Amino acid sequence: MGKVTIVDFWASWCGPCRAEMPNVVAIYAAFHAKGLNIVGVSLDKDAAKWKEAIAKDKLTWIHVSHLKFWNEPIAAQYEVQSIPATFILDASGKVVAKDLRGDELKAKIVELLAK
């Protein structure tokens, strides 16, 4: 576990999720060496489409999915009702922010890594 972890709920079929991915890739590239980790949790049900999206969008962090669509157990644990959904966890695993995107997401990561 790093200093900061983003738990990113997404799916290959989710347009808004895929549109945000270049931003997440850039944040990961900039801050992974400084302690940022990402865990992608997919609400896909088709393994081939899920893996294709990971490759196409160049998502180089850890990915998990039970391929159960909206019945994804991890999504239930986080009470995810819609995607994209992001949860930012501090080093202790406590959720310190959620559903940030773009510049807001980057600013929060910078703030947390500075602690």
Side-chain angles (χ1 to χ4, degrees), residues 4-8 27 36-39 86-88 105 109:
V4 179
T5 302
I6 298 171
V7 181
D8 185 26
I27 290 170
L36 173 65
N37 286 317
I38 299 177
V39 178
T86 56
F87 293 80
I88 303 172
L105 178 62
I109 298 303

Side-chain angles (χ1 to χ4, degrees), residues 5-7 11 22 29 35 39 43 45 51 61 63 65 73 84 95 103:
T5 302
I6 298 171
V7 181
V39 178
L43 275 64
K45 53 186 173 182
K51 291 173 184 173
W61 49 85
H63 291 275
S65 182
V95 175
D103 291 339

